[in-house]
Amino acid sequence: MPELPEVEHVKRGLEPYVIGETIVSVQFSEQVKKSHENGKQAIIKGKGLAHFSDHVKGYKMNRIERRSKYLLFHVERASSTAFLLSHLGMSGAWFAIDSVDQITEDKFRSHVHVIFTFESGRLLIYSDIRRFGELRFLDKLEDHPPIIAIGPEPFDQNAQELFLASLNLPKFNSKPVKEVIMNHQVIAGCGNIYATEALFKSRIHPKRAVSRISLGKRIELFNNIVSVLQEGIDAGGSSISDYRNVNGQAGSMQDRLQMYGRKECPKCGSNVKQAVIGGRNSHYCGKCQR
Ligand SMILES: [Zn+2]
């Protein structure tokens, strides 16, 4: 599943191609259309396909912002502003190209579900193998509360202060630390891969209750979350399964992961243990992480 570094790369990859472009039309795949006919709303969420396509037409792309794992396209038409919100789900990918044939990998090319055509003739294509991703047109962000509830971005100046304050809240204090740092109200964009890595670096057991972690260790953990996310960005993201950047390239962070998906601890050689924490499978070293 794409996490913060991967989504950041998608954003950076799209920017040079889409900023300043105006949407003239949008097409949906047969699967998306069928799903909407059956009331299931695959990918396009909100008020239906007709509403979506009527609303996005004529909008110019002004800016792309990443919030946690969401991409927010800031769009404008006749001085009224709106947002196109994108979440990649498990396997979503964006391509800014001239034709669908330019998508080199079959699995992405055969799962193209949404095609925006720009005034320049260039296409902005959304492909999604498993169709868990989402796209929404929003007049204002308040119309979609989950985006408003997201905590600070890890690289924001006030992020550490708000992270530490959240950890002191009664609702988080007694919970396993891994579950808490994966909560986007505490810190944005720290998913399973990067939470696993940050806890290993900090030598903290993922099940440890927040209340049993000293202030010094909490700060160390925060700093490690920021550094693994930065490392992920620097490495072009992790391509564990289906992540690709807008040029169809995989990232290399998966080769640098110390604990996620490992069988043996790189520090002490012990067998890596697994446990389900907060609904997610977690890898950890029972010896190095306490
Ligand atoms: Zn170990």
Side-chain angles (χ1 to χ4, degrees), residues 83-96:
F83 302 91
L84 192 59
L85 177 104
S86 154
H87 192 289
L88 299 173
M90 301 289 287
S91 54
W94 284 102
F95 299 91

Side-chain angles (χ1 to χ4, degrees), residues 24-81:
V24 291
S25 65
V26 58
Q27 291 165 263
F28 308 107
S29 69
E30 286 307 315
Q31 283 154 307
V32 166
K33 286 187 210 165
K34 276 210 182 95
S35 142
H36 276 255
E37 281 162 18
N38 298 328
K40 291 220 175 100
Q41 293 213 332
I43 299 171
I44 306 291
K45 310 293 181 190
K47 295 176 183 163
L49 299 184
H51 179 270
F52 183 87
S53 55
D54 285 350
H55 275 74
V56 297
K57 275 181 212 165
Y59 272 96
K60 189 175 115 188
M61 299 268 185
N62 276 343
R63 183 160 87 86
I64 310 175
E65 182 187 4
R66 183 193 50 71
R67 271 301 272 137
S68 187
K69 302 182 205 174
Y70 288 98
L71 281 179
L72 268 176
F73 296 87
H74 292 242
V75 295
E76 184 178 356
R77 181 174 71 184
S79 72
S80 86
T81 58

Side-chain angles (χ1 to χ4, degrees), residues 218-266:
R218 292 179 191 191
I219 294 171
E220 186 185 336
L221 175 59
F222 173 83
N223 290 335
N224 282 328
I225 291 170
V226 174
S227 78
V228 293
L229 288 169
Q230 186 61 56
E231 195 184 346
I233 292 173
D234 295 343
S238 342
S239 294
I240 303 289
S241 54
D242 296 324
Y243 164 72
R244 295 292 182 277
N245 70 15
V246 296
N247 300 313
Q249 291 154 346
S252 65
M253 184 63 185
Q254 65 277 11
D255 306 328
R256 301 189 190 198
L257 300 175
Q258 300 278 297
M259 180 51 57
Y260 181 90
R262 288 273 192 150
K263 292 206 163 56
E264 222 173 66
C265 171

Side-chain angles (χ1 to χ4, degrees), residues 200 203 259 264-270 285-289:
F200 177 65
R203 305 175 77 95
M259 180 51 57
E264 222 173 66
C265 171
K267 272 189 197 147
C268 74
S270 305
C285 173
K287 216 171 177 185
C288 295
Q289 292 174 259

